[in-house]
Amino acid sequence: MIDDLSRSLASTVQQARTALDLSVNALAERSGVSRAMIGKIERGEAQPTAVLLGKLSGALGMTLSELVARAENTGELLRRAEDQPVWTDPITGYHRRAVSPVTESSLELVEVELPAGASVSYPADAYIFKYQQLWILDGHLRFHEGRQVHELHTGDCLQLGPPSATTFHNPGTTPCRYLVALVKGRA
């Protein structure tokens, strides 16, 4: 079942693609996502995973948070907790809450809850446009940054290095909650 946010994401992906004057073929080539899947996403026939949205957002020159924020754009400077859009990956159960109001600010705050045993991977291209820090709010996160593996626990904060492929993995038996602080800008 496709929810309202997924329908809005479908429209947002299509609008961003056409604003860049990209064909579906060109976006497929840039992102590594098949033309058929992009078509299904844009038509609202498929609920995209976090990995697919990460690849598409990077190819469209924006962060995953920006993509979700555009889908939920209200223009308000205050975003109440009940108005913060939550997106759930249909495969892993990964929950992503866009905490920050939708503004022209380069700062974004995103709260993530990664279920026990779940993993989500992103290509290096998803990190080209930003600086990031991860702050573990609760639990254990095994974060693969290229070849380096960071074991992060409640209260730990990590500044990410140069763009590289990443994997977020929760090796624990309870959900891991963490805050991602993003500052957009070319490295």
Side-chain angles (χ1 to χ4, degrees):
M1 181 176 178
I2 304 295
D3 61 17
D4 289 340
L5 181 56
S6 292
R7 277 191 282 283
S8 185
L9 280 167
S11 175
T12 302
V13 167
Q14 185 174 37
Q15 289 171 5
R17 178 181 59 77
T18 57
L20 292 172
D21 200 26
L22 290 174
S23 66
V24 172
N25 286 344
L27 181 58
E29 188 173 308
R30 275 189 183 190
S31 66
V33 176
S34 74
R35 289 181 356 200
M37 180 53 74
I38 292 170
K40 286 180 180 180
I41 291 169
E42 287 187 354
R43 290 188 303 273
E45 295 172 359
Q47 187 174 13
T49 65
V51 172
L52 286 178
L53 285 178
K55 288 179 178 182
L56 291 172
S57 64
L60 293 167
M62 65 180 79
T63 66
L64 178 55
S65 301
E66 284 179 286
L67 187 65
V68 172
R70 283 186 187 186
E72 287 290 320
N73 188 6
T74 64
E76 296 291 322
L77 296 179
L78 170 65
R79 183 177 265 177
R80 302 260 182 221
E82 64 269 13
D83 297 328
Q84 296 167 359
V86 176
W87 179 79
T88 302
D89 184 323
I91 303 297
T92 64
Y94 156 104
H95 293 276
R96 183 180 185 92
R97 177 183 297 277
V99 177
S100 299
V102 180
T103 66
E104 296 300 316
S105 171
S106 62
L107 174 65
E108 291 181 41
L109 299 176
V110 178
E111 180 187 15
V112 176
E113 183 173 300
L114 190 61
S119 292
V120 177
S121 298
Y122 295 104
D125 291 350
Y127 297 99
I128 289 175
F129 301 100
K130 60 189 169 279
Y131 303 96
Q132 287 192 77
Q133 291 187 0
L134 302 176
W135 181 32
I136 309 306
L137 301 172
D138 191 33
H140 178 193
L141 180 68
R142 183 171 295 141
F143 180 67
H144 299 256
E145 184 178 21
R147 292 183 179 183
Q148 189 169 11
V149 178
H150 304 278
E151 297 291 341
L152 304 171
H153 300 276
T154 303
D156 292 347
C157 186
L158 173 68
Q159 167 72 48
L160 274 62
S164 62
T166 61
T167 298
F168 296 78
H169 175 67
N170 179 355
T173 58
T174 60
C176 176
R177 285 182 47 248
Y178 55 94
L179 181 74
V180 181
L182 308 156
V183 176
K184 297 170 280 188
R186 296 200 182 267

